[in-house]
Amino acid sequence: RGAVQAAVRAVLSPTPAAAGSEAAHGGAAEGGHGDGGMAALTEPAAVRILIVEDHWANRKLLESMLRQRGYGSECVENGLEAVTIAAANEYDLILMDCNMPIMDGWQATEKIRLQQGPNRRTPIVAVTANAMKGDRDKCLAAGMDDYLSKPVDRKLLYEAIAKWTHSRPAARPDV
């Protein structure tokens, strides 16, 4: 428990802002996925991400990682809450834990995919401690689009966000 709290404190500690990141990226850029490379890139502040995670330290860690890059996020603690909020609010990406009480991430993903709400086709990325052979396939079979294992690697998280939201790459290449 002490190691988790230390990790959360380290992530939450103030870091220098990425000065001039907007200027460094210049005007509109092109690139993207599934559209012939013509999708306009989105600024991180315009990207809305739903974090679905039952463990408070993991929630805070993900929230902090997103905030450090300027991404907006909302958090819920279980799959049932995710299904409910996803029916009402539109997100650009959902980061979904798999093992949660009340309703797990696999069930929540299936329900989000079946409902007529605004997130039926929103990319859902599994963020899970399940790193055994076959776990990735189980996530994809449930309707998730991608898979990140815990502990979450910052670089892989930012790459997944950029891939699925067509957002600009992280402003600070040092992480």
Side-chain angles (χ1 to χ4, degrees):
R1 183 175 180 177
V4 171
Q5 290 175 338
V8 170
R9 275 195 300 275
V11 169
L12 296 177
S13 66
T15 58
S21 64
E22 199 169 311
H25 290 293
E30 290 185 346
H33 306 278
D35 55 9
M38 299 306 292
L41 294 178
T42 306
E43 291 296 331
V47 175
R48 293 191 61 202
I49 299 173
L50 176 63
I51 299 169
V52 186
E53 171 63 61
D54 63 316
H55 192 274
W56 71 269
N58 292 336
R59 259 193 327 272
K60 292 298 181 190
L61 188 63
L62 285 169
E63 199 173 20
S64 177
M65 287 178 176
L66 297 178
R67 187 173 45 249
Q68 286 176 355
R69 288 295 183 268
Y71 294 108
S73 65
E74 290 183 52
C75 300
V76 295
E77 296 183 18
N78 62 63
L80 183 59
E81 290 177 0
V83 171
T84 302
I85 198 168
N89 300 325
E90 186 173 2
Y91 296 96
D92 299 297
L93 182 70
I94 299 172
L95 299 175
M96 181 79 70
D97 185 19
C98 291
N99 295 307
M100 296 178 288
I102 304 173
M103 181 186 291
D104 66 41
W106 299 288
Q107 294 169 318
T109 297
E110 290 173 358
K111 289 189 180 299
I112 290 168
R113 295 293 185 229
L114 291 173
Q115 67 188 9
Q116 296 300 313
N119 295 292
R120 185 175 189 181
R121 291 184 176 84
T122 298
I124 299 176
V125 176
V127 181
T128 180
N130 296 346
M132 302 297 288
K133 184 176 180 155
D135 288 332
R136 179 183 181 83
D137 293 335
K138 182 178 179 182
C139 292
L140 298 176
M144 296 179 186
D145 299 284
D146 209 343
Y147 173 94
L148 294 171
S149 61
K150 294 176 186 174
V152 176
D153 178 285
R154 286 174 192 260
K155 184 176 185 275
L156 295 177
L157 173 65
Y158 299 143
E159 287 172 358
I161 293 169
K163 173 183 176 181
W164 292 107
T165 67
H166 307 288
S167 64
R168 294 181 183 276
R172 291 178 30 211
D174 58 329
V175 178

